Amino acid sequence: MKLATLKNGRRDGKLVIVSKDLAHAVDATDIAPTLLDAIERWTDTEPKLRERAHRLAEGACTDAFAFDAAFAMSPLPRCYQWLDGSTFANHGHLMERAFDLGITNEYERHPLVYQGASDDFIGPRDDVRLPSEADNMDFEGEVAVVVDEVPMGTPQDAAADHVKLLMLVNDVSLRALAGREMKTGFGWIQAKPSTAFSPVAVTPDELGAAWSDGRVHLPLEVKRNDEWFGHPHGSEMTFNFFRLIEHTAYSRTLRAGTILGSGTMSNAARSAGSACIAERRAIETLDQGAATTPFMRFGERVRIDMFDADRRSVFGAIEQRYVQSSKRVDA
Amino acid sequence: MKLATLKNGRRDGKLVIVSKDLAHAVDATDIAPTLLDAIERWTDTEPKLRERAHRLAEGACTDAFAFDAAFAMSPLPRCYQWLDGSTFANHGHLMERAFDLGITNEYERHPLVYQGASDDFIGPRDDVRLPSEADNMDFEGEVAVVVDEVPMGTPQDAAADHVKLLMLVNDVSLRALAGREMKTGFGWIQAKPSTAFSPVAVTPDELGAAWSDGRVHLPLEVKRNDEWFGHPHGSEMTFNFFRLIEHTAYSRTLRAGTILGSGTMSNAARSAGSACIAERRAIETLDQGAATTPFMRFGERVRIDMFDADRRSVFGAIEQRYVQSSKRVDA
């Protein structure tokens, strides 16, 4: 089942069910007005949503309409918690080797996770509004899961059933600010502006065998201005989503609608390219002594998509232009 | 005006208006069902809430009832963003001198802020449920503000009007985990369990002259098991709330209902004591060569309160017992 949230002038948008080929949609607001509400009452809402999804697939929904990702918000336009990991150890090792920040990571023992802002996600086709090119604007291509309520102390072997939906992510990052914020130990605020998610969120069964062992076993296709940038495969995720859930629920309950991200996808093979500019620059620094790929300029675009074995887009593409925010701090 | 949220079995509780002396309350759900809703429509809801608060003060509300903080949730039982600063530089300097973490802070140039979990705040009289004493359980006494929507790029001199409410905070912390998480540069996840706020949130005018220059000029009274622990004064806040708003809104819009915290309050004078155990242990380490004050044990209590010039509690007291969570990770 594929779900999306359409713009309707309200902060949480309105819930629709989308066909597998992403061509059609049908209203679902009578079942749950918003996706957040649906996740909070998933036991009640899931069977009703699935029944309508089945009818949509059969062509039995007379009120179906064309699905246009340009009118989609992020599936959860906002939620109460966004936890983003850095679970591809290859990425961390590259960054560490290229740019020594004096940071101590224990990639093999504990998942790395930061708490992100969840009050203001941006739509998959909306512009990324940022204050300044001098902040070294970047993207990060990731996969993410949405969970129902996860009680404090849930172990990884009890985590699978809590994963209700999957999405793609553009974890927008400002690299010129990231180092200073990391060095404080407090994590990122200015360096992590609003995040964007794919046009649709899908239930795990939509991925078939590609969802196994708490990982998405498909490559993520990342393009910059229509040019290939990378296609890292999800199978190299060091800590899987179940371990990430266990880690983050150690001393807190994760309330329904919490999103957990994989962190930028990254493979050991150089031929896979990268899902963010910073990593390509790290590789250039290691291989050639200096980074040559520039960060994003205003007007540039990123495209993040994932295809199944039959080359069908699973989530719809995130496709965004980076533009200058109209308001700026004078300081 | 003082506002509170009473438990009603729902995640966001129900909105009530509380009298200045915290003795009485009156339902406000016909104006706004929840405080989050009220903040999102503040221009519309504020005058209506104030009118009813005025009637409550005059004894004209026939449906008023006794206010009991034991039935209160945090004023915002959850919200979409919780940003907690560390704006009392004295605290940071003490921690740095006592426990060198190899962390580079620039206290004088940039406010320190971490993104906290906002999906599951705990009530001001609810138990703090945690997995293990071995995690070195602590409290942190703070003040916080609630803002309406703050556009990206808002400068500090335009921040004052966005501050709609103030509260007290118990920023529950697990010190044994904090160091490892800081060293990653990603900030805290396991070391920052659910946070608690005071029984009522108050509009800035309730503080009179004590709210000026973006600071709360009153001492915070912190007790551990009914014994004095500290009374640090808010006037020594290094970066005020307006600067904190400017800093956090640099590259993102803060949506209505965002909470910003001061970080643990801390004064240069040793006679002020401390608002958290870790700071007292830092002072003991510096003065006596070793920390002697133990962290919280299960069954112990903390009390955080703030009084006006006439010794009237402004926000009601946070008063919580630390207890063991029933579920634990087996690992």
Side-chain angles (χ1 to χ4, degrees):
Chain A
M1 179 167 59
K2 303 192 178 192
L3 300 169
T5 296
L6 295 184
K7 298 175 183 180
N8 67 346
R10 298 178 67 89
R11 289 167 202 268
D12 297 300
K14 64 169 187 171
L15 180 64
V16 297
I17 299 163
V18 180
S19 59
K20 274 190 205 302
D21 63 0
L22 306 176
H24 300 95
V26 64
D27 189 277
T29 53
D30 57 319
I31 300 171
T34 67
L35 181 55
L36 190 56
D37 177 66
I39 282 285
E40 288 181 343
R41 302 185 294 111
W42 195 244
T43 310
D44 173 46
T45 59
E46 187 192 9
K48 296 172 186 165
L49 293 168
R50 283 195 183 272
E51 191 206 338
R52 190 164 304 171
H54 187 69
R55 293 185 61 240
L56 177 66
E58 286 184 324
C61 291
T62 52
D63 52 346
F65 54 91
F67 176 69
D68 183 347
F71 296 107
M73 304 172 86
S74 280
L76 291 169
R78 57 179 181 174
C79 71
Y80 295 98
Q81 180 159 238
W82 158 227
L83 292 161
D84 198 12
S86 179
T87 63
F88 287 78
N90 184 66
H91 171 73
H93 289 309
L94 283 170
M95 298 294 280
E96 205 166 52
R97 282 173 56 209
F99 315 115
D100 180 19
L101 290 167
I103 294 298
T104 311
N105 290 323
E106 301 172 83
Y107 293 111
E108 317 310 332
R109 294 185 53 216
H110 305 285
L112 282 169
V113 194
Y114 78 90
Q115 186 100 30
S118 56
D119 62 323
D120 187 32
F121 298 136
I122 40 180
R125 304 290 166 91
D126 290 346
D127 290 341
V128 177
R129 295 171 55 246
L130 292 172
S132 170
E133 287 182 345
D135 294 332
N136 293 349
M137 305 181 297
D138 201 353
F139 46 80
E140 286 195 7
E142 313 184 4
V143 290
V145 301
V146 181
V147 295
D148 65 357
E149 183 165 315
V150 178
M152 190 190 307
T154 297
Q156 55 182 317
D157 59 17
D161 284 349
H162 292 294
V163 174
K164 300 306 183 192
L165 296 169
L166 292 108
M167 306 183 288
L168 302 184
V169 187
N170 176 14
D171 180 30
V172 179
S173 299
L174 301 177
R175 304 297 181 182
L177 308 171
R180 173 175 61 72
E181 292 194 325
M182 279 191 92
K183 286 181 200 169
T184 67
F186 277 56
W188 299 287
I189 302 292
Q190 294 187 336
K192 292 288 185 184
S194 295
T195 309
F197 296 88
S198 48
V200 305
V202 311
T203 48
D205 57 283
E206 286 287 335
L207 289 165
W211 171 247
S212 75
D213 194 27
R215 295 174 175 84
V216 176
H217 296 270
L218 289 171
L220 185 75
E221 297 200 1
V222 181
K223 289 183 176 177
R224 177 179 183 173
N225 305 322
D226 305 320
E227 283 179 31
W228 176 88
F229 201 85
H231 58 260
H233 200 279
S235 58
E236 289 187 30
M237 195 175 177
T238 308
F239 290 109
N240 67 9
F241 279 111
F242 305 151
R243 182 74 180 82
L244 200 58
I245 289 168
E246 172 182 293
H247 180 84
T248 53
Y250 169 71
S251 55
R252 52 167 85 170
T253 292
L254 311 181
R255 292 291 182 177
T258 292
I259 305 172
L260 296 105
S262 68
T264 192
M265 291 172 66
S266 177
N267 290 169
R270 292 284 159 90
S271 58
S274 294
C276 69
I277 300 172
E279 183 179 296
R280 181 186 278 190
R281 289 172 58 90
I283 292 169
E284 290 167 346
T285 301
L286 294 170
D287 288 359
Q288 305 156 25
T292 53
T293 301
F295 288 104
M296 295 287 270
R297 293 287 173 86
F298 290 128
E300 286 196 89
R301 287 171 292 112
V302 66
R303 190 174 203 281
I304 298 169
D305 206 346
M306 186 174 265
F307 298 90
D308 66 16
D310 299 319
R311 282 298 292 176
R312 291 176 302 205
S313 176
V314 179
F315 303 93
I318 296 173
E319 191 159 11
Q320 301 186 290
R321 202 164 51 107
Y322 283 53
V323 303
Q324 184 152 31
S325 160
S326 51
K327 252 190 127 172
R328 295 190 58 188
V329 175
D330 297 320
Chain B
M1 177 167 61
K2 303 192 179 193
L3 300 170
T5 296
L6 294 184
K7 297 174 184 181
N8 67 346
R10 299 178 65 89
R11 291 168 201 268
D12 298 300
K14 64 170 188 172
L15 181 64
V16 298
I17 299 162
V18 181
S19 60
K20 274 189 203 306
D21 62 2
L22 306 176
H24 299 95
V26 65
D27 188 277
T29 53
D30 58 317
I31 299 171
T34 67
L35 182 54
L36 190 56
D37 178 67
I39 284 285
E40 288 181 343
R41 302 184 295 112
W42 195 243
T43 310
D44 172 48
T45 59
E46 186 192 10
K48 296 173 186 164
L49 292 167
R50 283 195 183 273
E51 191 206 338
R52 190 164 305 169
H54 186 69
R55 292 186 61 240
L56 177 66
E58 285 184 326
C61 292
T62 52
D63 52 346
F65 53 92
F67 176 69
D68 183 347
F71 296 107
M73 304 172 87
S74 280
L76 290 169
R78 59 179 179 172
C79 71
Y80 295 98
Q81 180 159 238
W82 159 226
L83 291 161
D84 198 13
S86 179
T87 63
F88 287 78
N90 184 67
H91 171 73
H93 289 309
L94 284 169
M95 297 295 280
E96 206 167 50
R97 282 173 56 210
F99 316 115
D100 180 18
L101 289 167
I103 293 297
T104 313
N105 291 322
E106 302 172 82
Y107 294 110
E108 318 310 333
R109 293 185 55 215
H110 304 285
L112 281 168
V113 193
Y114 77 90
Q115 187 100 31
S118 56
D119 62 322
D120 188 33
F121 298 135
I122 41 180
R125 304 292 166 90
D126 290 345
D127 290 342
V128 177
R129 295 171 54 246
L130 292 171
S132 170
E133 287 182 345
D135 293 332
N136 293 348
M137 304 181 297
D138 202 353
F139 46 80
E140 286 196 6
E142 312 184 5
V143 290
V145 300
V146 181
V147 294
D148 65 356
E149 183 165 315
V150 178
M152 190 191 304
T154 296
Q156 56 182 317
D157 59 17
D161 284 349
H162 292 293
V163 175
K164 300 306 183 192
L165 296 168
L166 292 108
M167 307 183 288
L168 302 184
V169 186
N170 176 14
D171 179 30
V172 179
S173 299
L174 301 177
R175 303 297 182 183
L177 308 171
R180 173 175 60 73
E181 292 195 325
M182 280 191 90
K183 286 180 200 169
T184 67
F186 277 57
W188 300 288
I189 301 292
Q190 294 187 335
K192 292 289 185 183
S194 294
T195 308
F197 296 87
S198 48
V200 306
V202 311
T203 48
D205 56 283
E206 286 286 334
L207 289 165
W211 171 247
S212 75
D213 194 28
R215 295 172 175 85
V216 176
H217 296 270
L218 288 171
L220 185 76
E221 297 200 4
V222 181
K223 289 183 175 177
R224 177 180 183 171
N225 306 322
D226 305 321
E227 282 181 31
W228 176 88
F229 201 85
H231 59 260
H233 201 279
S235 58
E236 289 187 30
M237 195 176 177
T238 309
F239 289 108
N240 68 8
F241 279 111
F242 305 149
R243 182 72 179 84
L244 201 57
I245 290 168
E246 173 183 292
H247 179 83
T248 54
Y250 169 70
S251 54
R252 53 167 85 169
T253 292
L254 311 181
R255 292 290 181 176
T258 292
I259 305 172
L260 297 105
S262 68
T264 192
M265 291 172 64
S266 177
N267 290 170
R270 292 285 159 89
S271 58
S274 294
C276 68
I277 299 172
E279 182 178 296
R280 183 186 275 190
R281 289 173 58 90
I283 292 169
E284 290 167 348
T285 301
L286 293 170
D287 289 359
Q288 305 155 29
T292 53
T293 300
F295 288 104
M296 295 288 270
R297 293 287 173 86
F298 290 129
E300 286 197 271
R301 288 172 292 110
V302 66
R303 191 176 202 282
I304 298 169
D305 207 346
M306 186 174 266
F307 298 91
D308 65 16
D310 299 319
R311 282 297 295 174
R312 292 176 301 204
S313 177
V314 179
F315 302 93
I318 295 173
E319 192 159 12
Q320 301 185 289
R321 202 164 52 106
Y322 283 52
V323 303
Q324 185 152 27
S325 161
S326 51
K327 251 192 129 172
R328 294 190 58 188
V329 174
D330 299 318

